[in-house]
Amino acid sequence: MLVTTKEMLLDAQKNHYAVGAFNVEDLEFVMAVLAAAEERRSPVIMQTTPSTVKYANLDYFYGMVHAAAKNASVPVALHLDHGDGFERCMQAMHAGYTSVMIDGSHESFEDNIKITESVARVGAAMGIPVEAELGRVGGKEDDGPDAGHGNPFTDPAEAEEFVRRTGCTSLAVGVGTAHGVYHGTPHIEQEVLKAIRERVDVPLVLHGTSGVPDDQVKEAIANGVCKVNYATELRQEYMKGFMAYMAANPEVFDPKKPAKAGMANITSIVASHMDNLGSTGRA
């Protein structure tokens, strides 16, 4: 059941819930995320960043997720997160990814439109949804550039023009979240989100959600978010379980044993997020 994100997100938009997009780092992450999706009967998006793809390659991740989806009883999509250029997005599409993001948010408004439109045009021809980003999601995504300073929020009028001119099928917006580990309690500017929703009709995406309180995420979904990304939190939970097992069993040399402890942590946190996103039972 390897599918595109198109129908997933349109159904989420129509029925006022969100689909979780979980960054997968290796086989253990893929299996753990799928276990949560099966347990919760939830559609799920698995995604990889450019740094993860550089660690292995697109074919490895396609092979793992395709194998997982082949025997799954829930819809699974494979998404390129923060695609760092036209070429990377084309490579992902041809490798079998069923959704891609082109991140031109670090460019000028016009340059962002230009690169996004070029990817969206190919995506439309191939039947592959294309996510874009406008505004600044704070922090630093893997080995990409730092978000820098300046207004972190997406301008609603610019968002309307951007979607119209690019043809992107979903839009990641800057509403106060940040990639990485938060220092202090994050705050989503819900009024900005509502203003964007009033002017943009494609599904909206929330990045940098690890560590954002569940009630804020739930409110963001009520205000139009249809896809919610999680990465840092999964890495933290996996390593917490892995290292705790090794601390208690230092003589163990079979990596599968501590990995199972890390996987159990991922499955638990992903299942919890699915409940909060409202995607439980939607498969």
Side-chain angles (χ1 to χ4, degrees), residues 107-168:
E107 308 294 335
S108 68
F109 181 66
E110 288 297 328
D111 285 344
N112 191 355
I113 286 177
K114 184 177 179 181
I115 189 172
T116 300
E117 189 277 331
S118 67
V119 176
R121 188 172 357 104
V122 177
M126 296 179 66
I128 298 174
V130 174
E131 177 185 328
E133 184 172 324
L134 183 65
R136 283 195 176 95
V137 177
K140 189 174 185 291
E141 174 63 30
D142 282 342
D143 58 359
D146 191 277
H149 303 289
N151 184 3
F153 303 119
T154 301
D155 180 272
E158 284 190 349
E160 181 180 20
E161 179 184 353
F162 185 87
V163 170
R164 175 177 53 81
R165 290 176 61 187
T166 62
C168 65

Side-chain angles (χ1 to χ4, degrees), residues 13 35 54 103 109 126 198:
Q13 186 173 36
K54 290 171 189 173
D103 185 358
F109 181 66
M126 296 179 66
E198 288 174 1

